[in-house]
Amino acid sequence: MNWDLHCHSTVSDGLLSPARLAWRARANGVDALALTDHDDTAGLAEAQAAARAAGIRFIPGVEISVTWNERSVHIVGLDVDPAHAPLREGLARVRSGRLGRALRIAEALARVGIEGCLEGALRHAGRAHGIGRTHFARYLVERNVARDLRSVFRGFLARGKPGYVPHQWASLEDAVSWIAVAGGVAVIAHPARYRFDPAQTGRLFEEFRRCGGAGIELESGGHATQATRLLAGLARDLDLAGSRGSDFHGPGESRAELGRLAELPPGVRPIWSVLRPAAG
Ligand code: AMP
Ligand code: MN
Ligand code: MN
Ligand code: MN
């Protein structure tokens, strides 16, 4: 089975509609797909219908933005019921901070002489409440400020760069509990991308587990083989399951194509062993 349990649609910062993602997944040989838009479940119904038509399994998901130790960490929820009130309300609260943050990003960019970014980024964001750094990055590429998304992040939007503004997202505890009470399982997204030292990563995993977290992403579009090996050891030690997700955002933009990832390392319990069996 080819599982891809992490990707984005136009509901957040992806380039393809939820339906197009499902069809692309099927064309790429994906057997089971989770759509995990940032802080939003609005694309799940469309993706689910398309996945059914395409004959692939669909797992309703979400990727929740969390602030942990003053750093952003992403928690993927798999097999969640998007109608469940605590999850729905929690996500609405997280999204409600995005527009104000966008305004502060635009002000920060204006201070280094790049004006008009809020309007520009809003044009790239399908929904104003889903506006994020990727939309700023696309706008800055369009303006020839940098040649691709990576360079925009490196020069302007990453932590410590002129367009970066600190922001308070959900707490780790809240995010994991919203996912759990909505019937889902929580997974730490792309842990190798946070630039934590091994001790911090260990503390994050332990706290996550204490909160009720179930797994960590071992195979991710953002991971090198060496990182995956180290993380797999940690997962086994803490009895956390392993997950696999491309974090696909769009053709030509992402580190991994939908469904094109290595297998989970040996000896790791796959997260799909704790997902409920497919309905119907
Ligand atoms: P936000 O939730 O607004 O902070 O935006 C986070 C998103 O920015 C991530 O989900 C990625 O899609 C994107 N992103 C973060 N860092 C990079 C990077 N170095 N290169 C390209 N995209 C990035
Ligand atoms: Mn993203
Ligand atoms: Mn992420
Ligand atoms: Mn993601």
Side-chain angles (χ1 to χ4, degrees), residues 6 8 13-14 38-39 63 65 72 74 98 101 105 130-138 148-154 157-158 164 169 190 193 195 247 249 253 255:
H6 186 157
H8 297 272
D13 58 358
H38 296 289
D39 311 313
E63 181 177 17
S65 310
S72 291
H74 288 172
R98 280 192 174 270
R101 171 186 181 247
I105 293 177
I131 190 169
R133 285 183 292 165
T134 306
H135 305 114
F136 280 91
R138 290 190 185 125
D148 55 20
L149 293 198
R150 280 187 91 116
S151 335
V152 185
F153 273 90
R154 205 178 312 123
L157 298 175
Y164 181 85
W169 302 105
H190 44 66
R193 256 197 255 158
R195 294 161 194 267
D247 203 7
H249 281 69
E253 254 195 16
R255 302 167 224 231

Side-chain angles (χ1 to χ4, degrees), residues 220-232:
S220 155
H223 281 185
T225 319
Q226 178 63 15
T228 295
R229 217 179 346 248
L230 278 167
L231 291 166

Side-chain angles (χ1 to χ4, degrees), residues 73-143:
V73 166
H74 288 172
I75 303 297
V76 161
L78 296 174
D79 208 8
V80 293
D81 171 8
H84 202 75
L87 175 65
R88 211 164 23 93
E89 289 158 13
L91 293 180
R93 214 165 333 119
V94 175
R95 286 196 304 274
S96 72
R98 280 192 174 270
L99 204 49
R101 171 186 181 247
L103 191 62
R104 288 185 286 131
I105 293 177
E107 285 166 356
L109 289 168
R111 280 196 288 276
V112 292
I114 314 170
E115 310 274 347
C117 289
L118 184 62
E119 294 71 19
L122 276 168
R123 255 199 295 111
H124 285 267
R127 307 144 64 84
H129 281 100
I131 190 169
R133 285 183 292 165
T134 306
H135 305 114
F136 280 91
R138 290 190 185 125
Y139 172 66
L140 291 174
V141 170
E142 180 187 298
R143 269 184 65 167

Side-chain angles (χ1 to χ4, degrees), residues 170-270:
S171 72
L172 180 65
E173 203 180 356
D174 282 350
V176 174
S177 101
W178 298 337
I179 291 165
V181 296
V185 297
V187 169
I188 300 180
H190 44 66
R193 256 197 255 158
Y194 303 129
R195 294 161 194 267
F196 289 143
D197 63 38
Q200 285 174 310
T201 301
R203 270 195 295 126
L204 171 64
F205 286 11
E206 276 166 34
E207 242 177 79
F208 172 72
R209 217 181 96 100
R210 266 205 306 280
C211 293
I216 65 174
E217 248 173 36
L218 295 177
E219 291 301 340
S220 155
H223 281 185
T225 319
Q226 178 63 15
T228 295
R229 217 179 346 248
L230 278 167
L231 291 166
L234 269 174
R236 276 190 297 259
D237 291 348
L238 291 167
D239 195 32
L240 288 162
S243 189
R244 179 177 188 263
S246 60
D247 203 7
F248 179 75
H249 281 69
E253 254 195 16
S254 285
R255 302 167 224 231
E257 176 56 69
L258 267 182
R260 302 275 159 78
L261 288 161
E263 298 299 320
L264 281 185
V268 172
R269 195 162 43 85

